[in-house]
Coordinates of all heavy atoms in Angstrom, one line a residue:
N1 N 0.8 -1.2 0.0 CA 0.0 0.0 0.0 C 0.8 1.3 0.0 O 0.2 2.4 -0.1 CB -1.0 0.0 1.2 CG -0.3 -0.1 2.5 OD1 1.0 0.1 2.6 ND2 -0.9 -0.5 3.6
G2 N 2.2 1.1 0.1 CA 3.0 2.3 0.2 C 3.0 3.2 -1.0 O 2.8 4.5 -0.8
P3 N 3.0 2.7 -2.3 CA 2.8 3.6 -3.5 C 1.6 4.5 -3.4 O 1.6 5.7 -3.6 CB 2.9 2.6 -4.6 CG 3.6 1.5 -4.2 CD 3.2 1.3 -2.7
E4 N 0.4 3.8 -3.1 CA -0.8 4.6 -3.1 C -0.8 5.6 -1.9 O -1.2 6.7 -2.0 CB -2.0 3.7 -3.0 CG -3.3 4.5 -2.8 CD -4.5 3.6 -2.8 OE1 -4.6 2.6 -3.5 OE2 -5.5 3.9 -2.0
T5 N -0.4 5.2 -0.7 CA -0.3 6.0 0.4 C 0.5 7.3 0.3 O 0.0 8.4 0.5 CB 0.3 5.3 1.7 OG1 -0.6 4.0 1.9 CG2 0.2 6.1 2.9
G6 N 1.6 7.1 -0.4 CA 2.5 8.2 -0.7 C 1.9 9.2 -1.7 O 1.9 10.4 -1.6
A7 N 1.3 8.6 -2.8 CA 0.6 9.4 -3.7 C -0.6 10.2 -3.1 O -0.8 11.3 -3.6 CB 0.2 8.5 -4.9
H8 N -1.4 9.5 -2.3 CA -2.6 10.1 -1.8 C -2.2 11.2 -0.8 O -2.8 12.4 -0.8 CB -3.3 9.0 -1.1 CG -4.7 9.5 -0.7 ND1 -5.0 10.2 0.5 CD2 -6.0 9.3 -1.3 CE1 -6.3 10.4 0.6 NE2 -6.9 9.9 -0.4
S9 N -1.2 11.0 0.1 CA -0.9 12.0 1.1 C -0.3 13.2 0.5 O -0.5 14.3 1.0 CB 0.1 11.4 2.1 OG 1.3 11.0 1.5
G10 N 0.4 13.1 -0.6 CA 1.1 14.3 -1.2 C 0.4 14.8 -2.5 O 0.8 15.7 -3.1
N11 N -0.8 14.1 -2.8 CA -1.5 14.3 -4.0 C -0.6 14.4 -5.2 O -0.6 15.3 -6.0 CB -2.3 15.6 -3.9 CG -3.5 15.6 -4.9 OD1 -4.0 14.6 -5.3 ND2 -3.8 16.9 -5.4
I12 N 0.3 13.3 -5.3 CA 1.3 13.3 -6.3 C 0.8 12.5 -7.6 O 0.3 11.3 -7.4 CB 2.5 12.5 -5.8 CG1 3.1 13.3 -4.6 CG2 3.6 12.4 -6.9 CD1 4.2 12.6 -3.8
P13 N 0.8 13.1 -8.7 CA 0.4 12.4 -9.9 C 1.1 11.0 -10.1 O 2.2 10.9 -9.7 CB 0.7 13.4 -11.1 CG 0.8 14.7 -10.5 CD 1.3 14.4 -9.0
V14 N 0.3 10.0 -10.7 CA 0.8 8.7 -10.8 C 0.7 8.3 -12.3 O -0.3 8.5 -12.9 CB -0.1 7.7 -10.0 CG1 0.4 6.2 -10.3 CG2 0.1 7.9 -8.5
V15 N 1.9 7.8 -12.7 CA 2.0 7.3 -14.1 C 2.2 5.9 -14.1 O 3.1 5.3 -13.4 CB 3.1 8.0 -14.8 CG1 3.4 7.4 -16.2 CG2 2.9 9.5 -15.0
F16 N 1.4 5.1 -14.9 CA 1.6 3.7 -15.0 C 2.6 3.5 -16.2 O 2.5 4.1 -17.2 CB 0.4 2.9 -15.3 CG -0.6 2.8 -14.1 CD1 -1.9 2.5 -14.3 CD2 -0.2 3.2 -12.8 CE1 -2.8 2.4 -13.2 CE2 -1.1 3.1 -11.7 CZ -2.3 2.7 -11.9
A17 N 3.5 2.4 -16.0 CA 4.5 2.2 -17.0 C 4.5 0.7 -17.5 O 4.3 -0.2 -16.6 CB 5.9 2.6 -16.5
N18 N 4.6 0.5 -18.7 CA 4.7 -0.9 -19.3 C 5.9 -0.9 -20.2 O 6.2 0.1 -20.8 CB 3.5 -1.3 -20.0 CG 3.6 -2.6 -20.6 OD1 4.1 -3.5 -20.1 ND2 3.0 -2.7 -21.9
I19 N 6.6 -2.0 -20.3 CA 7.7 -2.2 -21.2 C 7.4 -3.2 -22.3 O 7.1 -4.4 -21.9 CB 9.0 -2.6 -20.5 CG1 9.3 -1.5 -19.4 CG2 10.2 -2.6 -21.4 CD1 10.4 -2.0 -18.4
E20 N 7.5 -2.8 -23.6 CA 7.3 -3.7 -24.7 C 8.6 -4.1 -25.3 O 9.6 -3.4 -25.2 CB 6.3 -3.1 -25.7 CG 5.0 -2.8 -25.1 CD 4.1 -2.0 -26.1 OE1 4.5 -1.7 -27.2 OE2 2.8 -1.8 -25.9
K21 N 8.6 -5.2 -26.1 CA 9.8 -5.6 -26.8 C 9.5 -5.8 -28.2 O 9.2 -6.9 -28.6 CB 10.4 -6.9 -26.0 CG 11.7 -7.4 -26.5 CD 12.1 -8.6 -25.7 CE 13.6 -9.1 -26.0 NZ 14.0 -10.2 -25.2
P22 N 9.7 -4.8 -29.0 CA 9.5 -4.9 -30.5 C 10.3 -6.0 -31.2 O 9.9 -6.8 -32.0 CB 9.8 -3.6 -31.0 CG 9.8 -2.6 -29.9 CD 10.2 -3.4 -28.6
R23 N 11.6 -6.1 -30.7 CA 12.5 -7.2 -31.2 C 13.6 -7.3 -30.2 O 13.8 -6.4 -29.3 CB 13.0 -6.9 -32.6 CG 13.9 -5.6 -32.7 CD 14.2 -5.4 -34.2 NE 15.3 -4.4 -34.4 CZ 15.0 -3.1 -34.4 NH1 13.8 -2.6 -34.2 NH2 16.0 -2.2 -34.6
R24 N 14.4 -8.4 -30.4 CA 15.4 -8.7 -29.4 C 16.4 -7.5 -29.3 O 17.0 -7.0 -30.3 CB 16.2 -10.0 -29.9 CG 16.9 -10.6 -28.7 CD 17.6 -11.9 -29.2 NE 17.9 -12.8 -28.1 CZ 18.5 -14.0 -28.3 NH1 18.8 -14.4 -29.4 NH2 18.9 -14.7 -27.2
G25 N 16.7 -7.1 -28.1 CA 17.6 -6.0 -27.8 C 17.1 -4.7 -28.0 O 17.8 -3.7 -27.9
H26 N 15.8 -4.5 -28.1 CA 15.1 -3.2 -28.3 C 13.8 -3.2 -27.4 O 13.1 -4.2 -27.4 CB 14.7 -3.0 -29.7 CG 16.0 -2.8 -30.6 ND1 16.5 -1.5 -30.9 CD2 16.8 -3.7 -31.3 CE1 17.6 -1.7 -31.6 NE2 17.7 -3.0 -31.9
Y27 N 13.6 -2.1 -26.7 CA 12.5 -2.0 -25.8 C 11.8 -0.7 -26.0 O 12.3 0.3 -26.5 CB 12.9 -2.1 -24.4 CG 13.5 -3.4 -24.0 CD1 14.8 -3.7 -24.2 CD2 12.7 -4.5 -23.6 CE1 15.4 -4.9 -23.9 CE2 13.3 -5.8 -23.4 CZ 14.6 -6.0 -23.5 OH 15.1 -7.2 -23.3
K28 N 10.5 -0.7 -25.8 CA 9.7 0.6 -25.8 C 8.9 0.7 -24.4 O 8.2 -0.1 -24.0 CB 8.6 0.4 -26.9 CG 7.7 1.6 -27.0 CD 6.7 1.4 -28.2 CE 5.8 2.6 -28.4 NZ 4.8 2.4 -29.4
V29 N 9.1 1.8 -23.8 CA 8.5 2.2 -22.6 C 7.2 3.0 -22.9 O 7.2 4.0 -23.6 CB 9.4 3.0 -21.6 CG1 8.6 3.3 -20.3 CG2 10.7 2.2 -21.4
V30 N 6.1 2.5 -22.4 CA 4.8 3.0 -22.7 C 4.3 3.6 -21.3 O 4.0 2.8 -20.3 CB 3.7 2.0 -23.2 CG1 2.5 2.7 -23.5 CG2 4.3 1.4 -24.4
L31 N 4.2 4.9 -21.3 CA 3.8 5.6 -20.1 C 2.3 6.2 -20.2 O 2.0 6.7 -21.3 CB 4.7 6.8 -19.8 CG 6.2 6.4 -19.6 CD1 7.0 7.7 -19.6 CD2 6.4 5.7 -18.3
T32 N 1.5 6.0 -19.2 CA 0.1 6.4 -19.2 C -0.2 7.1 -17.9 O 0.1 6.6 -16.8 CB -0.9 5.2 -19.2 OG1 -0.5 4.3 -20.4 CG2 -2.3 5.6 -19.3
L33 N -0.7 8.4 -18.0 CA -1.1 9.1 -16.8 C -2.3 8.4 -16.2 O -3.3 8.4 -16.8 CB -1.4 10.5 -17.2 CG -1.8 11.5 -16.0 CD1 -0.8 11.5 -14.9 CD2 -2.2 12.8 -16.5
A34 N -2.1 7.8 -15.0 CA -3.1 7.0 -14.4 C -4.1 7.9 -13.6 O -5.3 7.7 -13.5 CB -2.5 6.0 -13.5
E35 N -3.5 8.9 -12.8 CA -4.3 9.8 -12.0 C -3.5 11.1 -11.7 O -2.4 11.0 -11.2 CB -4.7 9.1 -10.7 CG -5.5 9.9 -9.7 CD -6.8 10.5 -10.4 OE1 -7.6 9.6 -11.0 OE2 -7.0 11.6 -10.3
D36 N -4.2 12.1 -11.9 CA -3.5 13.4 -11.7 C -3.9 14.0 -10.3 O -3.1 14.7 -9.7 CB -4.1 14.5 -12.7 CG -3.4 15.8 -12.6 OD1 -2.2 15.8 -12.8 OD2 -4.1 16.8 -12.3
Q37 N -5.0 13.4 -9.7 CA -5.3 13.9 -8.4 C -5.6 12.7 -7.5 O -6.8 12.4 -7.1 CB -6.7 14.8 -8.5 CG -6.5 16.0 -9.3 CD -5.5 17.1 -8.7 OE1 -5.4 17.2 -7.5 NE2 -4.9 17.9 -9.5
P38 N -4.6 12.0 -7.0 CA -4.8 10.7 -6.2 C -5.6 11.0 -4.9 O -6.2 10.1 -4.4 CB -3.4 10.4 -5.9 CG -2.5 10.9 -7.0 CD -3.2 12.2 -7.3
A39 N -5.4 12.2 -4.3 CA -6.1 12.6 -3.0 C -7.6 12.5 -3.2 O -8.2 12.3 -2.1 CB -5.6 13.9 -2.5
T40 N -8.1 12.5 -4.4 CA -9.6 12.5 -4.5 C -10.2 11.1 -4.6 O -11.4 10.9 -4.6 CB -10.0 13.3 -5.8 OG1 -9.4 12.6 -6.9 CG2 -9.4 14.7 -5.8
L41 N -9.3 10.1 -4.7 CA -9.8 8.7 -4.9 C -10.0 8.1 -3.4 O -9.3 8.3 -2.5 CB -8.7 7.9 -5.6 CG -8.4 8.3 -7.0 CD1 -7.4 7.4 -7.6 CD2 -9.7 8.2 -7.9
P42 N -11.0 7.2 -3.4 CA -11.3 6.4 -2.3 C -10.1 5.5 -1.9 O -9.4 5.1 -2.8 CB -12.5 5.6 -2.6 CG -13.2 6.4 -3.7 CD -12.1 7.0 -4.5
K43 N -9.9 5.1 -0.7 CA -8.9 4.3 -0.3 C -8.9 3.0 -1.1 O -9.9 2.2 -1.2 CB -8.9 4.0 1.3 CG -7.8 3.2 1.8 CD -7.9 3.0 3.3 CE -6.8 2.2 3.9 NZ -7.0 2.0 5.3
G44 N -7.7 2.6 -1.6 CA -7.6 1.3 -2.3 C -7.9 1.4 -3.8 O -7.4 0.5 -4.6
Q45 N -8.4 2.5 -4.3 CA -8.9 2.5 -5.7 C -7.8 2.6 -6.6 O -7.8 2.1 -7.7 CB -9.9 3.6 -5.9 CG -11.3 3.3 -5.3 CD -11.8 2.0 -5.8 OE1 -12.0 1.8 -6.9 NE2 -12.0 1.1 -4.8
L46 N -6.8 3.4 -6.3 CA -5.6 3.6 -7.1 C -4.8 2.2 -7.3 O -4.4 1.8 -8.4 CB -4.6 4.6 -6.6 CG -3.4 5.0 -7.5 CD1 -3.8 5.5 -8.8 CD2 -2.4 5.9 -6.8

């Protein structure tokens, strides 16, 4: 629960990250803004 607790207490934007592998030796990081206002979310929802 640490990541959510920290984001909620400081209302720190959260970005989700995924790593894809187009081919061997090459990677693509896909970033998605998950929540801009974590403090507004109910506990556990993030």
Side-chain angles (χ1 to χ4, degrees):
N1 57 21
E4 175 176 322
T5 300
H8 191 278
S9 62
N11 200 29
I12 300 171
V14 174
V15 172
F16 290 166
N18 176 39
I19 305 172
E20 298 176 354
K21 189 175 185 178
R23 64 185 190 277
R24 200 175 196 183
H26 294 265
Y27 296 91
K28 179 182 179 182
V29 180
V30 181
L31 302 168
T32 304
L33 179 60
E35 180 55 55
D36 186 60
Q37 301 290 331
T40 65
L41 296 179
K43 183 178 181 181
Q45 288 306 300
L46 183 62

